[in-house]
Amino acid sequence: MEWNRLISDKRFGLEHYHDPKKSATRTDFRRDYDRLVFSSPFRRLQNKTQVFPLPGSIFVHNRLTHSMEVACVGKSMADNISLALRAKYASEPWHGELHHLGDIVAAACLAHDLGNPPFGHSGEKAIGTFFSEGAGKVLEHRLSPRQWADFINFEGNANAFRVLTNRFKGRREGGFAMTYSTLASVVKYPYESLLAGKKGKFGFFTSEVESYQRVADELGLRRLSAEDEPLRYARHPLVYIVEAADDICYEVMDLEDAHKLRIITTAEITDLLLGYFEGERRSRIVKNMMRVDDPNEQVAYLRSCVIGALVERCAECFIASEESILAGEFEGSLLKNISGIECEAYARCNEMSWRKIYCASDVVDIELAGNRIITDLLDILVNAVVRPELNYSRLLLSQVPRQYDVEAPALYGRLQAVVDHISAMTDVYALDLYRKLNGSTLPAV
């Protein structure tokens, strides 16, 4: 793969308007970022669970704040990498295009969770299991193997690509009409759902195969599958930066949230975060940390130091591995390829997170509640699109937002409309609709 092709400001769905010679103070990649910030799907992330239940008296991260922080971290990492690559390719006529890496990555980071349903990762699991082992399983024989794989492996990242590119009913061609480079940088698993495997990870639904292929061919992404096999590509190089920024933020920020909620102690988190440093640097950080007395401020300072260190190591790893990344041969994530004290400290943080955070009672409670709510909503809405002739179905479907085509001619399209609608809901909206449909609450008279 080649950088001069990988960086493209051509807009998906608006290719006929593309002018490669135009100049503007605000680049198309920066426009991608701004377009996302002002979009409804992005705003809805403020009311979607990240890990912990949405805040009461103590504020914890939601999908919106997480995405904004990932964008900051991703841009910093990409800017470091861009600086090194511009020096390396200074003699190339296109080396100036590498200056855009930070803006492309920042936009992709903002968009990376856009397709996630309510109630965190448990929401993804609830959608998949409704079809694989729940009431939706009876529909398997009415769909093709590719279509069925989309539903039983439902994946938020693949749904983000759909949200960004699909022409929903009444909307414009190309969806968000993002640049090709930003779209490719969002897709962490560039292969279709038949290749999801045991982890259930993939990058685009059957309905978006042609869309991703169009993006991949334009950017010169390396195809890894034969012509007669399910589609699989090498990642766009910038995906590695988006992924690393996401991993850094959820690992470090989840620990900080857990500390605020008193799931882990100040001593525990301090020991974990100081584990990223040694020698004189560690002594200097401890000295600076002790200039404040507030434990939350001490943890916030340590968190910033850790993020800075991981950004440096991941940028170094990307630069050192650039040739294998461009060849589509790099294995694993950037974080899994760093070594030394940061690697060991990250592993300890990850172990603590699984042992004390992701199994915490509040986290499990929201997973259980979310699973029940999403499963019930799917059961009711799927039955309505399967049997639209029923009076209750007609009443229910008349309330679904117009952009979701619940009257699509094929069952696959109608089921997608249901999943599109539910995955776009906020936690509060899903809970409210669940209560209404089950008769727990009634509209005011």
Side-chain angles (χ1 to χ4, degrees), residues 112-150:
H112 83 283
D113 272 350
L114 219 58
N116 280 57
F119 306 111
H121 290 294
S122 64
E124 286 179 288
K125 195 68 176 174
I127 293 173
T129 55
F130 172 82
F131 291 98
S132 65
E133 58 189 55
K137 187 171 176 57
V138 298
L139 301 173
E140 180 177 4
H141 71 284
R142 299 179 61 179
L143 300 171
S144 73
R146 276 182 161 84
Q147 292 170 344
W148 184 244
D150 287 351

Side-chain angles (χ1 to χ4, degrees), residues 42-43 45-50 54-55 59-72 110 112-113 249 253 257:
F42 182 71
R43 288 196 300 273
L45 294 178
Q46 70 182 304
N47 198 213
K48 289 192 177 187
T49 299
Q50 174 64 15
L54 293 176
F59 185 84
V60 292
H61 286 81
N62 54 45
R63 288 281 175 188
L64 182 76
T65 51
H66 168 72
S67 297
M68 292 171 67
E69 289 171 350
V70 174
C72 290
L110 277 190
H112 83 283
D113 272 350
C249 285
M253 303 311 298
D257 281 348

